[in-house]
Each structure stands twice: as C-alpha cells, then as structure tokens.
Coordinates of all heavy atoms in Angstrom, one line a residue:
M1068 N 0.8 -1.2 0.0 CA 0.0 0.0 0.0 C 0.9 1.3 0.1 O 1.9 1.2 0.5 CB -0.9 0.1 1.2 CG -1.9 -1.1 1.3 SD -3.3 -0.7 0.2 CE -4.6 -1.1 1.2
T1069 N 0.4 2.3 -0.5 CA 1.1 3.6 -0.8 C 0.1 4.7 -0.3 O -1.0 4.7 -0.7 CB 1.4 3.8 -2.3 OG1 2.4 2.7 -2.6 CG2 2.1 5.1 -2.5
F1070 N 0.6 5.6 0.5 CA -0.1 6.7 0.9 C -0.1 7.8 -0.1 O 1.0 8.1 -0.6 CB 0.4 7.3 2.2 CG 0.0 6.4 3.5 CD1 0.9 5.6 4.0 CD2 -1.3 6.5 4.0 CE1 0.5 4.8 5.1 CE2 -1.7 5.7 5.0 CZ -0.8 4.9 5.6
V1071 N -1.3 8.4 -0.4 CA -1.6 9.4 -1.3 C -2.3 10.5 -0.6 O -3.3 10.1 0.0 CB -2.2 9.0 -2.7 CG1 -2.4 10.2 -3.5 CG2 -1.5 7.9 -3.4
T1072 N -1.9 11.6 -0.7 CA -2.6 12.9 -0.1 C -3.3 13.5 -1.2 O -2.8 14.1 -2.1 CB -1.7 13.8 0.7 OG1 -1.1 13.1 1.8 CG2 -2.5 14.8 1.3
Y1073 N -4.7 13.8 -1.1 CA -5.5 14.4 -2.0 C -5.8 15.7 -1.3 O -6.4 15.6 -0.2 CB -6.8 13.6 -2.3 CG -6.6 12.3 -2.9 CD1 -6.3 11.1 -2.1 CD2 -6.7 12.1 -4.3 CE1 -6.1 9.9 -2.7 CE2 -6.4 10.9 -4.9 CZ -6.1 9.8 -4.1 OH -5.9 8.6 -4.6
I1074 N -5.5 16.8 -1.9 CA -6.0 18.2 -1.3 C -7.0 18.8 -2.2 O -6.9 19.1 -3.4 CB -4.7 19.1 -1.3 CG1 -3.7 18.3 -0.4 CG2 -5.2 20.4 -0.7 CD1 -2.4 19.1 -0.3
E1075 N -8.3 18.9 -1.6 CA -9.4 19.5 -2.3 C -9.0 20.9 -2.5 O -8.3 21.5 -1.9 CB -10.6 19.4 -1.5 CG -11.1 17.8 -1.4 CD -12.4 17.9 -0.6 OE1 -13.3 18.7 -0.7 OE2 -12.5 16.9 0.2
H1076 N -9.7 21.6 -3.5 CA -9.6 23.0 -3.8 C -10.0 23.9 -2.5 O -9.3 24.8 -2.4 CB -10.6 23.4 -4.9 CG -10.5 24.8 -5.4 ND1 -9.3 25.1 -6.2 CD2 -11.2 25.9 -5.2 CE1 -9.4 26.5 -6.4 NE2 -10.5 27.0 -5.8
S1077 N -10.8 23.4 -1.7 CA -11.0 24.0 -0.4 C -9.8 24.1 0.7 O -9.9 24.7 1.6 CB -12.3 23.5 0.3 OG -12.0 22.2 0.7
G1078 N -8.9 23.0 0.4 CA -7.7 22.9 1.3 C -8.0 21.7 2.1 O -7.0 21.2 2.8
A1079 N -9.1 21.1 2.2 CA -9.3 19.8 2.9 C -8.3 18.8 2.4 O -8.3 18.6 1.2 CB -10.8 19.3 2.9
E1080 N -7.7 18.1 3.3 CA -6.7 17.1 3.0 C -7.1 15.7 3.4 O -7.8 15.5 4.4 CB -5.3 17.3 3.6 CG -4.6 18.5 3.2 CD -3.3 18.6 3.7 OE1 -2.7 17.6 4.1 OE2 -2.7 19.7 3.7
H1081 N -6.9 14.7 2.5 CA -7.3 13.3 2.7 C -6.1 12.5 2.4 O -5.6 12.3 1.2 CB -8.5 12.8 1.9 CG -9.6 13.8 1.8 ND1 -10.7 13.7 2.8 CD2 -10.0 14.8 1.1 CE1 -11.5 14.6 2.6 NE2 -11.2 15.4 1.5
K1082 N -5.5 11.8 3.4 CA -4.4 10.9 3.3 C -4.9 9.5 3.3 O -5.6 9.1 4.3 CB -3.4 11.2 4.4 CG -2.1 10.3 4.3 CD -1.1 10.7 5.3 CE 0.1 9.7 5.1 NZ 1.1 10.2 6.2
V1083 N -4.8 8.8 2.2 CA -5.4 7.5 2.0 C -4.4 6.5 1.6 O -3.4 6.9 1.0 CB -6.7 7.5 1.1 CG1 -7.8 8.3 1.6 CG2 -6.3 7.8 -0.3
D1084 N -4.5 5.3 2.1 CA -3.8 4.1 1.6 C -4.4 3.6 0.3 O -5.5 3.1 0.2 CB -3.9 3.1 2.8 CG -2.6 2.3 2.9 OD1 -1.6 2.6 2.2 OD2 -2.5 1.4 3.8
V1085 N -3.5 3.6 -0.8 CA -4.0 3.1 -2.1 C -3.2 1.9 -2.4 O -2.0 1.9 -2.3 CB -3.8 4.2 -3.1 CG1 -4.2 3.7 -4.4 CG2 -4.6 5.5 -2.8
P1086 N -3.9 0.9 -2.8 CA -3.2 -0.3 -3.1 C -2.2 -0.2 -4.4 O -2.6 0.5 -5.3 CB -4.3 -1.4 -3.5 CG -5.4 -0.8 -2.9 CD -5.4 0.6 -2.9
N1087 N -1.1 -0.7 -4.3 CA -0.1 -0.6 -5.5 C -0.9 -1.3 -6.7 O -1.4 -2.3 -6.5 CB 1.1 -1.3 -5.2 CG 2.1 -0.5 -4.2 OD1 1.9 0.7 -4.0 ND2 3.0 -1.2 -3.7
G1088 N -0.6 -0.7 -7.8 CA -1.4 -1.2 -9.0 C -2.6 -0.5 -9.3 O -3.1 -0.4 -10.5
D1089 N -3.2 0.1 -8.3 CA -4.4 1.0 -8.6 C -3.9 2.3 -9.1 O -2.8 2.7 -8.9 CB -5.2 1.2 -7.3 CG -6.2 0.1 -6.9 OD1 -6.1 -1.0 -7.7 OD2 -6.9 0.2 -5.9
S1090 N -4.9 3.0 -9.7 CA -4.6 4.4 -10.1 C -4.9 5.4 -9.0 O -5.7 5.0 -8.1 CB -5.4 4.7 -11.4 OG -6.7 4.9 -11.1
V1091 N -4.3 6.5 -9.1 CA -4.6 7.6 -8.3 C -6.2 7.9 -8.3 O -6.8 8.2 -7.2 CB -3.8 8.9 -8.5 CG1 -4.3 10.1 -7.7 CG2 -2.3 8.6 -8.3
M1092 N -6.7 7.8 -9.4 CA -8.2 8.0 -9.5 C -8.9 6.9 -8.8 O -9.8 7.2 -8.0 CB -8.7 7.9 -11.0 CG -10.1 8.1 -11.3 SD -10.7 7.2 -12.7 CE -10.6 5.6 -12.1
Q1093 N -8.6 5.8 -8.8 CA -9.3 4.6 -8.2 C -9.1 4.9 -6.6 O -10.2 4.6 -5.9 CB -8.6 3.2 -8.5 CG -9.0 2.8 -9.9 CD -8.2 1.6 -10.2 OE1 -7.1 1.5 -10.2 NE2 -8.8 0.5 -10.7
G1094 N -8.0 5.3 -6.2 CA -7.9 5.6 -4.7 C -8.8 6.7 -4.2 O -9.4 6.6 -3.2
A1095 N -9.0 7.7 -5.1 CA -10.0 8.7 -4.7 C -11.5 8.2 -4.8 O -12.1 8.4 -3.8 CB -9.9 9.9 -5.8
V1096 N -11.8 7.5 -5.9 CA -13.1 7.0 -5.9 C -13.5 6.0 -4.8 O -14.5 6.1 -4.2 CB -13.4 6.3 -7.3 CG1 -14.7 5.6 -7.4 CG2 -13.3 7.5 -8.4
N1097 N -12.5 5.1 -4.5 CA -12.7 4.1 -3.5 C -12.9 4.7 -2.1 O -13.5 4.0 -1.2 CB -11.6 3.0 -3.5 CG -11.6 2.1 -4.7 OD1 -12.6 2.2 -5.5 ND2 -10.6 1.5 -5.0
N1098 N -12.3 5.9 -1.9 CA -12.3 6.6 -0.6 C -13.2 7.7 -0.6 O -13.2 8.6 0.3 CB -10.9 6.9 -0.2 CG -10.1 5.8 0.1 OD1 -10.2 5.2 1.2 ND2 -9.2 5.2 -0.8
M1099 N -14.1 7.9 -1.6 CA -15.1 8.9 -1.7 C -14.5 10.3 -1.6 O -15.2 11.1 -0.9 CB -16.2 8.6 -0.8 CG -17.0 7.4 -1.1 SD -18.3 7.0 0.2 CE -17.4 6.2 1.4
I1100 N -13.4 10.6 -2.1 CA -12.7 12.0 -2.2 C -13.5 12.8 -3.2 O -13.7 12.5 -4.3 CB -11.3 11.8 -2.6 CG1 -10.5 10.8 -1.7 CG2 -10.6 13.2 -2.5 CD1 -10.3 11.1 -0.4
E1101 N -14.1 13.8 -2.7 CA -14.8 14.8 -3.6 C -13.8 15.5 -4.4 O -12.8 15.8 -3.9 CB -15.7 15.8 -2.8 CG -16.8 15.1 -2.1 CD -17.8 16.1 -1.6 OE1 -18.0 17.2 -2.0 OE2 -18.5 15.7 -0.5
G1102 N -14.1 15.7 -5.6 CA -13.3 16.5 -6.6 C -12.7 15.6 -7.7 O -12.1 16.0 -8.6
I1103 N -12.9 14.2 -7.5 CA -12.6 13.4 -8.6 C -13.8 12.7 -9.1 O -14.5 11.9 -8.3 CB -11.5 12.3 -8.2 CG1 -10.2 12.9 -7.8 CG2 -11.4 11.2 -9.3 CD1 -9.3 13.4 -9.0
V1104 N -14.4 13.0 -10.3 CA -15.7 12.6 -10.8 C -15.4 11.2 -11.4 O -16.3 10.3 -11.2 CB -16.3 13.6 -11.7 CG1 -17.6 13.0 -12.2 CG2 -16.5 14.8 -10.9
A1105 N -14.5 11.1 -12.3 CA -14.3 9.8 -13.1 C -15.2 9.3 -13.8 O -15.7 8.2 -13.7 CB -13.7 8.8 -12.0
E1106 N -15.9 10.1 -14.6 CA -17.0 9.7 -15.4 C -16.8 8.4 -16.3 O -17.6 7.5 -16.5 CB -17.6 10.8 -16.3 CG -18.5 11.8 -15.6 CD -19.1 12.7 -16.5 OE1 -18.7 12.9 -17.7 OE2 -20.2 13.3 -16.1
C1107 N -15.6 8.4 -16.9 CA -15.4 7.3 -17.8 C -14.7 6.1 -17.2 O -14.5 5.1 -17.8 CB -14.5 7.7 -19.1 SG -12.7 8.0 -18.6
G1108 N -14.6 6.2 -15.8 CA -14.2 5.0 -15.1 C -12.5 4.7 -15.3 O -12.1 3.6 -15.0
G1109 N -11.8 5.7 -15.8 CA -10.4 5.4 -16.1 C -10.1 5.1 -17.5 O -9.0 4.6 -17.7
G1110 N -10.9 5.2 -18.4 CA -10.8 4.9 -19.8 C -10.1 5.8 -20.7 O -10.1 5.6 -21.9
L1111 N -9.5 6.9 -20.2 CA -9.0 8.0 -20.8 C -9.8 8.5 -22.0 O -9.6 8.8 -23.1 CB -7.6 7.5 -21.5 CG -6.7 8.6 -22.0 CD1 -6.2 9.6 -21.0 CD2 -5.5 7.9 -22.7
A1112 N -11.1 8.7 -21.5 CA -12.2 9.2 -22.5 C -12.9 10.5 -22.0 O -13.8 10.9 -22.6 CB -13.2 8.1 -22.8
C1113 N -12.4 11.0 -20.9 CA -12.9 12.3 -20.4 C -11.7 13.0 -19.7 O -10.7 12.4 -19.6 CB -14.1 12.0 -19.5 SG -13.8 11.3 -17.8
A1114 N -12.0 14.0 -19.0 CA -11.0 14.8 -18.2 C -11.5 15.0 -16.8 O -11.1 16.0 -16.2 CB -10.5 15.9 -18.8
T1115 N -12.5 14.2 -16.3 CA -13.1 14.5 -15.0 C -12.4 13.8 -13.8 O -12.9 13.7 -12.7 CB -14.6 14.0 -15.0 OG1 -14.6 12.5 -15.2 CG2 -15.4 14.8 -16.1
C1116 N -11.1 13.5 -14.1 CA -10.2 13.1 -13.0 C -8.9 13.9 -13.0 O -7.9 13.4 -12.4 CB -9.9 11.5 -13.0 SG -8.9 11.1 -14.4
H1117 N -9.1 15.1 -13.6 CA -7.9 16.0 -13.6 C -7.5 16.3 -12.2 O -8.2 16.4 -11.3 CB -8.4 17.3 -14.3 CG -7.4 18.4 -14.5 ND1 -7.7 19.7 -14.2 CD2 -6.1 18.3 -14.8 CE1 -6.5 20.4 -14.4 NE2 -5.6 19.6 -14.7
C1118 N -6.1 16.4 -12.1 CA -5.5 16.8 -10.8 C -4.2 17.5 -11.2 O -3.7 17.4 -12.3 CB -5.2 15.5 -9.9 SG -4.0 14.4 -10.4
Y1119 N -3.6 18.0 -10.1 CA -2.3 18.7 -10.2 C -1.3 18.0 -9.3 O -1.5 18.0 -8.1 CB -2.4 20.2 -9.8 CG -3.3 21.0 -10.7 CD1 -4.6 21.3 -10.3 CD2 -3.0 21.4 -12.0 CE1 -5.6 22.0 -11.0 CE2 -3.9 22.2 -12.7 CZ -5.2 22.5 -12.2 OH -6.1 23.2 -12.9
V1120 N -0.3 17.5 -9.9 CA 0.6 16.7 -9.1 C 1.5 17.8 -8.4 O 1.9 18.7 -9.0 CB 1.6 15.8 -9.9 CG1 2.7 15.2 -9.2 CG2 0.6 14.7 -10.6
D1121 N 1.7 17.7 -7.1 CA 2.4 18.6 -6.3 C 3.9 18.7 -6.9 O 4.5 17.7 -7.5 CB 2.6 18.1 -4.9 CG 3.2 19.2 -4.0 OD1 2.5 20.1 -3.6 OD2 4.4 19.0 -3.6
D1122 N 4.5 19.9 -6.9 CA 5.7 20.1 -7.5 C 6.8 19.1 -7.2 O 7.6 18.8 -8.0 CB 6.2 21.6 -7.2 CG 5.4 22.7 -8.0 OD1 4.8 22.3 -9.0 OD2 5.6 23.8 -7.7
A1123 N 6.9 18.8 -5.8 CA 8.0 17.9 -5.4 C 7.8 16.5 -6.0 O 8.8 15.8 -5.9 CB 7.8 17.7 -3.8
W1124 N 6.7 16.1 -6.7 CA 6.4 14.8 -7.2 C 6.5 14.8 -8.7 O 6.4 13.7 -9.3 CB 5.0 14.3 -6.6 CG 5.3 14.0 -5.2 CD1 5.0 14.8 -4.2 CD2 5.8 12.8 -4.6 NE1 5.2 14.2 -2.9 CE2 5.7 13.0 -3.3 CE3 6.2 11.6 -5.2 CZ2 6.1 12.0 -2.4 CZ3 6.6 10.5 -4.3 CH2 6.5 10.8 -2.9
I1125 N 6.5 15.9 -9.4 CA 6.3 15.9 -10.9 C 7.3 15.0 -11.6 O 6.9 14.2 -12.5 CB 6.3 17.4 -11.4 CG1 5.1 18.2 -11.0 CG2 6.6 17.4 -12.9 CD1 5.2 19.6 -11.4
D1126 N 8.6 15.1 -11.2 CA 9.5 14.4 -11.9 C 9.3 12.9 -11.7 O 9.6 12.0 -12.6 CB 11.0 14.7 -11.4 CG 11.4 16.0 -12.0 OD1 10.7 16.5 -12.9 OD2 12.3 16.7 -11.4
R1127 N 9.0 12.5 -10.3 CA 8.8 11.1 -10.1 C 7.6 10.5 -10.7 O 7.6 9.3 -11.2 CB 8.7 10.9 -8.5 CG 9.1 9.5 -8.2 CD 9.2 9.4 -6.7 NE 10.0 10.3 -6.0 CZ 10.1 10.4 -4.7 NH1 9.6 9.5 -3.9 NH2 10.8 11.4 -4.2
V1128 N 6.6 11.3 -10.9 CA 5.3 10.8 -11.5 C 5.5 10.7 -13.1 O 5.0 9.9 -13.8 CB 4.1 11.7 -11.2 CG1 3.0 11.4 -12.1 CG2 3.7 11.5 -9.8
G1129 N 6.4 11.6 -13.5 CA 6.6 11.7 -15.0 C 5.5 12.5 -15.8 O 4.5 12.9 -15.2
P1130 N 5.8 12.8 -17.1 CA 4.8 13.6 -17.9 C 3.7 12.8 -18.5 O 3.8 11.5 -18.4 CB 5.8 14.1 -19.0 CG 6.8 12.9 -19.3 CD 7.0 12.5 -17.9
P1131 N 2.7 13.5 -18.8 CA 1.5 12.7 -19.5 C 2.0 12.2 -20.8 O 2.8 12.7 -21.5 CB 0.4 13.8 -19.6 CG 1.2 15.1 -19.5 CD 2.4 14.8 -18.7
S1132 N 1.3 11.1 -21.2 CA 1.5 10.6 -22.5 C 0.8 11.4 -23.6 O 0.1 12.3 -23.2 CB 0.8 9.1 -22.6 OG -0.7 9.4 -22.5
G1133 N 1.1 11.2 -24.9 CA 0.4 12.0 -25.9 C -1.1 12.1 -25.8 O -1.7 13.0 -25.8
P1134 N -1.7 10.8 -25.9 CA -3.2 10.8 -25.7 C -3.7 11.5 -24.4 O -4.8 12.2 -24.4 CB -3.6 9.3 -25.7 CG -2.4 8.6 -26.3 CD -1.3 9.4 -26.0
E1135 N -3.0 11.4 -23.3 CA -3.4 12.1 -22.0 C -3.3 13.6 -22.2 O -4.1 14.2 -21.8 CB -2.5 11.5 -20.9 CG -2.9 12.2 -19.6 CD -2.0 11.8 -18.4 OE1 -1.2 10.9 -18.5 OE2 -2.3 12.4 -17.3
S1136 N -2.2 14.0 -22.7 CA -2.0 15.5 -23.1 C -3.2 16.0 -23.8 O -3.8 17.1 -23.6 CB -0.7 15.7 -23.8 OG 0.3 15.5 -22.9
E1137 N -3.5 15.3 -24.9 CA -4.7 15.7 -25.6 C -6.0 15.8 -24.9 O -6.8 16.7 -25.1 CB -4.8 14.8 -27.0 CG -3.7 14.8 -27.9 CD -3.9 13.8 -29.0 OE1 -4.9 13.1 -29.1 OE2 -2.8 13.6 -29.7
M1138 N -6.3 14.8 -24.0 CA -7.4 14.8 -23.3 C -7.4 15.9 -22.2 O -8.5 16.4 -21.8 CB -7.6 13.5 -22.5 CG -9.0 13.2 -21.8 SD -10.4 13.5 -23.0 CE -10.2 12.2 -24.1
L1139 N -6.3 16.3 -21.6 CA -6.2 17.4 -20.7 C -6.7 18.6 -21.3 O -7.1 19.6 -20.6 CB -4.8 17.4 -20.2 CG -4.3 16.6 -19.2 CD1 -2.8 16.5 -19.0 CD2 -5.1 16.8 -17.9
E1140 N -6.6 18.8 -22.6 CA -7.2 20.0 -23.2 C -8.7 20.2 -22.9 O -9.3 21.3 -23.1 CB -6.9 20.0 -24.7 CG -5.5 20.1 -25.0 CD -4.8 21.3 -24.5 OE1 -5.3 22.4 -24.5 OE2 -3.6 21.1 -24.0
F1141 N -9.4 19.1 -22.6 CA -10.8 19.2 -22.3 C -11.2 19.3 -20.9 O -12.3 19.4 -20.5 CB -11.5 17.9 -22.8 CG -11.4 17.7 -24.4 CD1 -10.5 16.9 -24.9 CD2 -12.3 18.4 -25.2 CE1 -10.4 16.7 -26.2 CE2 -12.1 18.2 -26.5 CZ -11.3 17.4 -27.0
A1142 N -10.2 19.5 -20.0 CA -10.3 19.7 -18.6 C -11.0 21.0 -18.4 O -10.7 22.0 -19.0 CB -9.0 19.6 -17.8
A1143 N -12.0 21.1 -17.4 CA -12.8 22.2 -17.1 C -11.9 23.4 -16.6 O -12.1 24.5 -16.9 CB -13.9 21.8 -16.1
N1144 N -10.8 23.0 -15.8 CA -9.9 24.0 -15.3 C -8.7 23.9 -16.1 O -8.3 22.8 -16.5 CB -9.6 23.8 -13.9 CG -10.8 24.0 -12.9 OD1 -11.0 25.2 -12.6 ND2 -11.6 23.0 -12.7
A1145 N -8.2 25.0 -16.6 CA -7.1 25.0 -17.4 C -5.9 24.1 -16.9 O -5.5 24.2 -15.8 CB -6.4 26.4 -17.7
P1146 N -5.4 23.4 -17.9 CA -4.2 22.5 -17.5 C -3.1 23.5 -17.1 O -2.8 24.5 -17.7 CB -3.9 21.8 -18.8 CG -5.2 21.8 -19.6 CD -5.9 23.0 -19.2
G1147 N -2.3 23.1 -16.2 CA -1.2 23.9 -15.8 C 0.0 22.9 -15.3 O 0.0 21.7 -15.6
R1148 N 1.0 23.5 -14.6 CA 2.2 22.8 -14.1 C 1.6 21.6 -13.3 O 0.9 21.8 -12.4 CB 3.0 23.7 -13.3 CG 4.3 23.0 -12.9 CD 5.3 24.0 -12.3 NE 6.3 23.4 -11.6 CZ 7.3 22.7 -12.1 NH1 7.4 22.4 -13.4 NH2 8.2 22.1 -11.4
G1149 N 2.0 20.4 -13.7 CA 1.8 19.2 -13.0 C 0.4 18.6 -13.3 O 0.0 17.7 -12.6
S1150 N -0.2 19.1 -14.3 CA -1.6 18.6 -14.7 C -1.4 17.2 -15.2 O -0.5 16.9 -16.0 CB -2.3 19.4 -15.7 OG -2.8 20.6 -15.2
R1151 N -2.2 16.3 -14.6 CA -2.4 14.9 -15.0 C -3.8 14.5 -14.9 O -4.6 15.0 -14.2 CB -1.4 14.0 -14.2 CG 0.0 14.2 -14.3 CD 0.6 13.8 -15.6 NE 0.2 12.5 -16.0 CZ 0.9 11.3 -15.8 NH1 2.1 11.4 -15.1 NH2 0.5 10.2 -16.2
L1152 N -4.1 13.4 -15.7 CA -5.3 12.7 -15.4 C -4.9 11.6 -14.4 O -4.1 10.8 -14.6 CB -6.0 12.1 -16.7 CG -6.3 13.1 -17.7 CD1 -6.9 12.3 -19.0 CD2 -7.3 14.1 -17.2
S1153 N -5.7 11.6 -13.3 CA -5.4 10.7 -12.2 C -5.6 9.3 -12.4 O -5.0 8.4 -11.9 CB -6.1 11.1 -10.9 OG -7.5 11.0 -11.0
C1154 N -6.4 9.0 -13.6 CA -6.5 7.7 -13.9 C -5.3 7.1 -14.6 O -5.2 5.8 -14.8 CB -7.8 7.4 -14.9 SG -7.6 8.2 -16.6
Q1155 N -4.4 7.9 -15.0 CA -3.2 7.6 -15.8 C -2.0 7.5 -14.9 O -0.9 7.2 -15.4 CB -2.9 8.5 -17.0 CG -4.0 8.5 -17.9 CD -4.3 7.1 -18.6 OE1 -3.4 6.6 -19.2 NE2 -5.5 6.5 -18.3
I1156 N -2.1 7.7 -13.6 CA -1.0 7.5 -12.6 C -1.2 6.3 -11.9 O -2.1 6.3 -10.9 CB -1.0 8.7 -11.7 CG1 -0.9 10.1 -12.4 CG2 0.2 8.7 -10.7 CD1 -1.1 11.3 -11.6
N1157 N -0.4 5.3 -12.1 CA -0.4 4.1 -11.4 C 0.4 4.1 -10.1 O 1.5 4.6 -10.1 CB 0.0 2.8 -12.3 CG -0.9 2.6 -13.4 OD1 -2.1 2.6 -13.2 ND2 -0.5 2.4 -14.6
V1158 N -0.2 3.7 -9.0 CA 0.5 3.8 -7.7 C 1.5 2.7 -7.5 O 1.1 1.5 -7.9 CB -0.6 3.7 -6.6 CG1 0.0 3.6 -5.2 CG2 -1.5 4.9 -6.8
T1159 N 2.6 3.1 -7.1 CA 3.7 2.1 -6.8 C 4.4 2.6 -5.5 O 4.2 3.6 -5.0 CB 4.8 2.1 -7.9 OG1 5.4 3.3 -7.9 CG2 4.2 1.8 -9.3
D1160 N 5.3 1.6 -4.9 CA 6.0 2.0 -3.8 C 6.8 3.4 -3.9 O 6.9 4.1 -3.0 CB 7.1 0.9 -3.4 CG 6.2 -0.3 -2.9 OD1 5.2 -0.2 -2.2 OD2 6.8 -1.4 -2.8
A1161 N 7.3 3.6 -5.1 CA 8.1 4.8 -5.4 C 7.2 6.1 -5.3 O 7.7 7.2 -5.1 CB 8.6 4.7 -6.9
L1162 N 5.8 5.9 -5.3 CA 5.0 7.1 -5.1 C 4.5 7.2 -3.7 O 3.5 8.1 -3.5 CB 3.8 7.1 -6.1 CG 4.2 7.2 -7.6 CD1 3.1 7.2 -8.5 CD2 5.1 8.4 -7.9
D1163 N 5.0 6.5 -2.6 CA 4.6 6.7 -1.4 C 4.7 8.0 -0.8 O 5.7 8.6 -0.8 CB 5.3 5.6 -0.4 CG 4.7 5.6 1.0 OD1 3.4 5.7 1.0 OD2 5.4 5.3 1.9
G1164 N 3.7 8.7 -0.5 CA 3.7 10.1 0.0 C 3.2 11.1 -1.0 O 3.2 12.3 -0.8
L1165 N 2.9 10.6 -2.2 CA 2.4 11.4 -3.3 C 1.3 12.5 -2.8 O 0.5 12.1 -2.1 CB 1.9 10.6 -4.4 CG 1.3 11.4 -5.7 CD1 2.3 12.1 -6.5 CD2 0.6 10.3 -6.6
V1166 N 1.5 13.7 -3.4 CA 0.5 14.8 -3.0 C -0.1 15.3 -4.4 O 0.6 15.6 -5.3 CB 1.1 15.9 -2.3 CG1 0.1 17.0 -2.1 CG2 1.7 15.5 -1.0
V1167 N -1.4 15.1 -4.5 CA -2.2 15.8 -5.6 C -3.2 16.7 -5.1 O -3.8 16.6 -4.2 CB -2.7 14.6 -6.5 CG1 -1.8 13.7 -7.2 CG2 -3.9 13.9 -5.7
R1168 N -3.3 17.8 -5.9 CA -4.2 18.8 -5.6 C -5.4 18.7 -6.6 O -5.1 18.5 -7.8 CB -3.7 20.2 -5.7 CG -2.5 20.4 -4.7 CD -1.8 21.7 -4.7 NE -0.6 21.7 -3.7 CZ -0.7 21.8 -2.5 NH1 -1.9 22.0 -1.9 NH2 0.3 21.8 -1.7
L1169 N -6.6 19.0 -6.1 CA -7.8 18.8 -7.1 C -8.3 20.1 -7.4 O -8.3 21.1 -6.7 CB -8.9 17.9 -6.3 CG -8.4 16.8 -5.7 CD1 -9.6 16.0 -5.0 CD2 -7.8 15.8 -6.8
P1170 N -8.7 20.3 -8.7 CA -9.3 21.6 -9.2 C -10.6 22.0 -8.5 O -11.2 21.1 -7.9 CB -9.5 21.3 -10.7 CG -9.7 19.8 -10.8 CD -8.8 19.2 -9.7
E1171 N -11.0 23.2 -8.8 CA -12.3 23.7 -8.2 C -13.5 22.9 -8.7 O -14.4 22.5 -7.8 CB -12.4 25.0 -8.6 CG -13.6 25.7 -7.8 CD -13.7 27.2 -8.1 OE1 -13.0 27.8 -8.8 OE2 -14.6 27.9 -7.5
S1172 N -13.4 22.4 -9.9 CA -14.6 21.5 -10.5 C -14.0 20.8 -11.6 O -13.0 21.1 -12.2 CB -15.7 22.4 -10.9 OG -15.4 23.1 -12.1
Q1173 N -14.7 19.7 -11.9 CA -14.3 18.9 -13.1 C -15.2 19.1 -14.3 O -15.0 18.6 -15.3 CB -14.4 17.4 -12.8 CG -13.5 17.0 -11.6 CD -12.1 16.8 -12.1 OE1 -11.7 17.1 -13.2 NE2 -11.2 16.7 -11.1
F1174 N -16.2 20.1 -14.1 CA -17.2 20.3 -15.3 C -17.1 21.7 -15.6 O -16.8 22.6 -14.8 CB -18.6 20.0 -14.9 CG -18.7 18.6 -14.6 CD1 -18.9 18.0 -13.3 CD2 -18.8 17.6 -15.6 CE1 -19.1 16.7 -13.1 CE2 -19.0 16.4 -15.5 CZ -19.2 15.8 -14.2

C-alpha cells in the first residue's frame, strides 16, 4: 500500500492508503474523495479526474502521454504545471507520500 494525499480545492486534505497497481483516480473514488468525478471510469475518455501533481512529485510521476495530453485540453480547469489525469497515474511504492491537488470543479 502507498499513501496518497488528496488536497481538495477548499484545502481539505485526505491521506489515504491506495493499493499498489491501482490508479490515483481509483484511490480517490474508492475513498469517496470529492473532486474526482471519473465519469469514464479510467478509460482515458474524459477529463473528469484531472489533478495537479505537487511540484515535489512531478519528476517522479513523469509527464503525461500523448493521448493524455490531448485529453487534458478538455479539462474544465485550465491545465497547468503538474496537470495529469489521475486515471493515468499508477500507484507504486516509489509514489509513497504522493500529493495531488484537485481543481475547483471537473465540469
């Protein structure tokens, strides 16, 4: 298990244990974190799981793939530094302590 901290736009923090192999999106959905809608269920077909990877973790998480970058253009909140679709970040031991910030809305 790996701890991921989700920070809502309001500042509320949720530190949850996410099983390795699950996505950051699955961790949010399974723990009822508000701010991740995940309409497509992780199929890279929407942008309702948009998040901002904390600056300290950007290099470790890596950049979005080409298809993910294209989908980020549809995010309700402008993509910015650290923008990722949380369905595309797979949790591993190397991401223990990951911090992601959630946008004001996904629509």
Side-chain angles (χ1 to χ4, degrees):
M1068 293 282 223
T1069 297
F1070 283 103
V1071 176
T1072 300
Y1073 300 85
I1074 303 175
E1075 293 181 39
H1076 186 72
S1077 67
E1080 292 188 20
H1081 308 275
K1082 185 175 180 180
V1083 300
D1084 214 0
V1085 181
N1087 287 343
D1089 279 5
S1090 69
V1091 170
M1092 178 211 75
Q1093 288 169 310
V1096 169
N1097 292 346
N1098 289 280
M1099 296 180 280
I1100 307 290
E1101 290 193 29
I1103 297 287
V1104 177
E1106 277 192 344
C1107 75
L1111 193 56
C1113 73
T1115 61
C1116 68
H1117 178 221
C1118 69
Y1119 301 98
V1120 174
D1121 192 74
D1122 286 347
W1124 290 91
I1125 289 175
D1126 290 337
R1127 205 170 311 176
V1128 170
S1132 67
E1135 181 182 353
S1136 291
E1137 291 173 12
M1138 190 55 62
L1139 279 166
E1140 295 300 320
F1141 295 100
N1144 290 275
R1148 180 167 167 74
S1150 280
R1151 291 292 308 267
L1152 296 180
S1153 59
C1154 69
Q1155 299 300 298
I1156 303 171
N1157 291 318
V1158 173
T1159 65
D1160 287 336
L1162 294 183
D1163 190 33
L1165 175 65
V1166 176
V1167 295
R1168 299 178 187 280
L1169 307 180
E1171 185 172 7
S1172 70
Q1173 295 288 355
F1174 297 103

